[in-house]
Amino acid sequence: MDLCDRSGDPAASSSDAREDEMKRATAKSLIERYFYQLTDGCGNPTCDNKHCASSGQVTTLSPNEAAAKAIQLFSEEARLCDPHRNKMPRTNFLSAGDNSVISSIPCNDMAAPISLNDSARSSQTKQDITMAEAIPYLTEDSLYEIISECESSENYSKLIRTLGEVFSSIESLVRSFRQRVLSSPIDAILDKTAGDLTTLKKEDVRSLEGEKDKDEDSCVSAMSPDSAENQRLPLDYAGLRRSYSALLERLPSNITESAMVNALVTLAGYLQMELQNRNTKLYSNDDIVHVLTIIYEIPVLGNGDFLETAFPALCRATKWINVEVQAKLAQMWSSSRNSSCLSLLLENLQQLVTLRVILTQFHPDFCVQEENVVTAATKLMKVVYYANILAGVLESPILRQKPDKNLWTDPEDELALELGVHPLDCRKPLIPLTEFYNEPLSDAVEVDKDFSNYKSPSPNKFSFLLYPFILTPATKALGLYYDNRIRMFSERRFSFLQSVSGNPSNPYLKLCVRRDHIVDDALVELEMVSMVNPIDLKKQLVVEFQGEQGIDEGGVSKEFFQLVIEEIFNPDYGMFVTQPESQTMWFNPMSFETEAQFTLIGIVLGLAIYNNVILAVNFPLVLYRKLMGILGSFEDLQDWNPTLYNSLKQLLEYPDPDLEEVFMQTFRVSYQDVFGNLMHHDLVECGDSVSVTPENKYEFVKLYADYLLNKSVDKQFTAFYKGFQMVTGESPLEQFFRPEEVELLICGSKNFNFDELEDATEYDGGYTRFTMIVRNFWQIVHAFSNEDKRKLLQFATGSDRVPIGGLSKLKLVIARNGPDSDRLPTAHTCFNVLLLPEYLTKQKLKDRLLKAINYSKGFGML
């Protein structure tokens, strides 16, 4: 199972290499004991060993001098004290209860090899007994030793015992897998000799004695995790991953799985007690981050018993971590910049959430928001979400600028504030953000209850809308719909109270327009409302076409918006221009219309969202980013004007120093106005005399993009944004959706799949999906062109757009409308009901259906 990149796979090592590793570890262990004996002593106040600091006979030594002396004492087999019972041994060891005997080591007095005598072996055995009383921990090297030893003896009890002891203890994991500093004097010597001190020269030891240590604690901190309690070394990320890979590749999973699962369940209990009892914390935030990083790096958390018992227990414990730990954990995960490892953690969390959602029986008294494993995993996924953002391509926070800061401010997300980053700062995340959607969860969420929890002031009520990254856009759109409807009902109640008190007011925002003067009538009425009483924009919209009998239950409004948008965004109207290459609409910098007109267009767009209507608009993504408070930048040019973007990118990537001669570009840019006249703009003062060079090319591109996307249309967009916020400013639109999701919300899905529509359609009046006319209907419709399919949608629902989430979210109803006749099909667009007479032949059905969708327009009596 290749989860991460590895080098130096221990499984591929020869037996000689493993033997060298063991020699090195054994030699290092004894040398470290001499080192601490010289520096710290054995802890026995009556010690008489002249080479022990506790005897008072050792002069003060620098770390390097002590290291050199320790190597010399090791080679001489000098007396080694037994550590006093009250003195915590600092020598690296493998696990409690490990009483292995050290074998002979090639060593000499810088000349001939020697072996350990009985006294040394006896001393080592006593040290092992002391180590049994101490706290176990693991390193990459020590784990390899245990694996090799178990493989040689074909007895894995030692490995199982060690994993159980280490992974069930917070303290053991705090000490485990600490990064080894390669500049350690002892490590440097062992690197030179590969653990064989027979090759060591006297000059090497003397050089240590003469060196001045730049960091007095460097040698100490390099030797073991508990040698510098107040200055913990960082996690050995690469070593940890190699260690897990070794466990998975070299050993059958059944050997370690049970021990690891049981240990992690025990660890989860200790973690939860530690994290909940904040007043009596035993471990620092850095220690907790270290432990969580180790356990969540386990590749198989999403498999077998890990997924069913250990992983849920860990998530329940982790939900108690504070914001500082969350931030440190996100930074730790992001620092590796390894998409495969971060993806694996996300995948494991998604599997856990999905499994719990599928297997749990939810009912009115127990909803998904109360399933503590699902909610705990969601909280942890938020940390992964921010780690993914931090590991991606971030833009400057300077681009986060609201056109009018008085209209709306960002809600304070504690984790975002702690990290100093906003999700919108991320131009390209390490993992696509769509990977965070969980569809089974989104389908299981009762949005009305979740929205109630979202609005509740109680911190004990969980809402997935506070973690919108995990919900699909369709589910979040339903949450926004509830928010909008509640505001509409509030305005309706307020109007009723006013009428009772003698000041009656219309409970609806009513627009009466002429079909042939629809834009003029609509804009005049909306301007009056925005000037006299802007709060009326929060009321439910009701549209009436003069001379037509349609009653607006939603269908009339849909057609109103469609007709208004078609006219306003017509280039002949002059307010917007079409980008020739991308065919997107953009503000006309040279428009003769007033700012008030753009404000009214913003109101129309906001009303469409507020009244749950999809519009046929085609803006570039940069507009939606700007609506959420992010200024346009160079990368936004990619879909705004691809040709210009590629040209500027070619300029930025040009490697040679003759850029000025090749491109001949200055800081003056040119463009055409609406009449075709060539216009100029200086990006800097006297821009025509400032050439673009390798030194200033980035500044040129930045200023050019800023001018095109921000400064040249500043008045138009600011007015447009003001109108948009007049309707949506108090809604959670910006909290629930990212820019690309807002585009889906406004424009609908591009997934034009009529198979989904057929599967989601319901039947009434005696029709079923097996009725002959219904079967003929779908055969005819599936053979339609896309244009005719859009006309059918327009006829039956009042809009030719696909709702967010696809056509499966469009609940079309096909109802019987009498026996065979010459009448055309009709529709109640307010309720998405298609009324279909039971035509006797398939050809007649097709003929009547095509006439209906091509020639019917308006709301009248049929």
Side-chain angles (χ1 to χ4, degrees), residues 223-357:
M223 295 183 187
S224 73
D226 42 339
S227 60
E229 293 291 340
N230 296 325
Q231 295 182 352
R232 301 279 193 189
L233 290 170
L235 175 70
D236 182 9
Y237 228 132
L240 176 65
R241 289 172 176 167
R242 289 193 295 268
S243 297
Y244 284 141
S245 294
L247 282 173
L248 292 173
E249 294 171 6
R250 294 174 61 173
L251 303 172
S253 60
N254 61 332
I255 291 178
T256 59
E257 181 172 329
S258 179
M260 289 282 287
V261 168
N262 293 332
L264 290 174
V265 171
T266 302
L267 176 73
Y270 291 138
L271 269 175
Q272 186 162 335
M273 287 189 292
E274 168 68 19
L275 295 171
Q276 283 184 283
N277 300 326
R278 298 180 181 180
N279 295 329
T280 58
K281 287 198 303 183
L282 300 177
Y283 301 96
S284 68
N285 286 337
D286 288 339
D287 289 340
I288 297 299
V289 170
H290 187 86
V291 171
L292 295 180
T293 306
I294 290 175
I295 61 177
Y296 284 122
E297 195 68 25
I298 298 174
V300 291
L301 280 178
N303 301 337
D305 289 342
F306 286 95
L307 181 62
E308 294 183 7
T309 55
F311 199 12
L314 290 170
C315 286
R316 284 193 295 264
T318 307
K319 75 176 183 179
W320 297 99
I321 58 177
N322 59 37
V323 175
E324 183 181 348
V325 171
Q326 292 177 36
K328 288 178 179 290
L329 201 56
Q331 291 167 337
M332 175 69 80
W333 283 334
S334 68
S335 63
S336 67
R337 297 186 180 274
N338 190 323
S339 61
S340 62
C341 292
L342 201 59
S343 293
L344 180 62
L345 177 56
L346 175 60
E347 181 184 338
N348 289 339
L349 286 167
Q350 293 284 33
Q351 284 181 322
L352 178 60
V353 171
T354 301
L355 181 68
R356 286 284 174 156
V357 169

Side-chain angles (χ1 to χ4, degrees), residues 723-797:
F724 182 78
Q725 286 292 316
M726 288 174 70
V727 184
T728 65
E730 296 178 1
S731 78
L733 177 70
E734 293 88 348
Q735 301 166 39
F736 291 174
F737 298 93
R738 301 192 307 272
E740 60 272 23
E741 294 174 328
V742 174
E743 182 179 19
L744 273 177
L745 187 67
I746 294 175
C747 304
S749 171
K750 296 180 181 179
N751 185 16
F752 207 68
N753 188 341
F754 262 62
D755 290 327
E756 292 182 355
L757 180 62
E758 181 179 359
D759 292 339
T761 297
E762 298 175 357
Y763 303 94
D764 196 12
Y767 284 164
T768 70
R769 64 184 304 116
F770 303 107
T771 306
M772 181 56 67
I773 188 173
V774 171
R775 294 165 63 183
N776 289 338
F777 172 82
W778 287 114
Q779 289 176 9
I780 293 168
V781 168
H782 286 309
F784 275 175
S785 65
N786 280 342
E787 182 62 28
D788 283 340
K789 288 179 179 178
R790 289 190 180 278
K791 289 179 180 178
L792 174 62
L793 281 181
Q794 176 68 44
F795 177 77
T797 69

Side-chain angles (χ1 to χ4, degrees), residues 5-162:
D5 293 336
R6 290 188 54 198
S7 60
D9 186 352
S13 301
S14 64
S15 58
D16 291 340
R18 288 198 296 268
E19 185 178 352
D20 288 341
E21 288 180 4
M22 294 183 65
K23 286 181 180 179
R24 174 189 172 92
T26 304
K28 181 180 176 183
S29 176
L30 288 175
I31 293 172
E32 287 178 356
R33 289 181 58 201
Y34 280 115
F35 176 87
Y36 293 120
Q37 180 174 289
L38 289 167
T39 56
D40 294 354
C42 65
N44 185 357
T46 62
C47 178
D48 61 354
N49 185 351
K50 66 177 181 179
H51 300 304
C52 179
S54 296
S55 69
Q57 301 179 50
V58 178
T59 58
T60 302
L61 300 173
S62 71
N64 279 336
E65 291 172 339
K69 185 66 175 177
I71 293 172
Q72 180 183 350
L73 295 176
F74 170 79
S75 65
E76 296 174 351
E77 294 187 78
R79 176 183 170 187
L80 195 57
C81 291
D82 296 331
H84 195 265
R85 179 174 296 273
N86 295 328
K87 181 88 174 164
M88 173 69 74
R90 301 167 90 177
T91 306
N92 189 17
F93 56 93
L94 306 181
S95 68
D98 177 16
N99 298 319
S100 57
V101 179
I102 304 298
S103 59
S104 299
I105 304 173
C107 187
N108 73 344
D109 188 9
M110 307 308 170
I114 62 171
S115 61
L116 292 175
N117 57 25
D118 292 339
S119 174
R121 287 196 180 95
S122 176
S123 177
Q124 177 64 31
T125 302
K126 293 179 181 178
Q127 173 67 8
D128 289 338
I129 295 173
T130 304
M131 290 192 297
E133 301 173 358
I135 298 173
Y137 62 86
L138 278 172
T139 65
E140 181 184 9
D141 292 339
S142 65
L143 181 63
Y144 289 167
E145 281 190 44
I146 297 177
I147 293 176
S148 298
E149 182 179 335
C150 291
E151 286 177 333
S152 300
S153 63
E154 297 184 355
N155 183 346
Y156 295 93
S157 59
K158 180 178 179 180
L159 175 64
I160 293 171
R161 184 176 67 252
T162 303

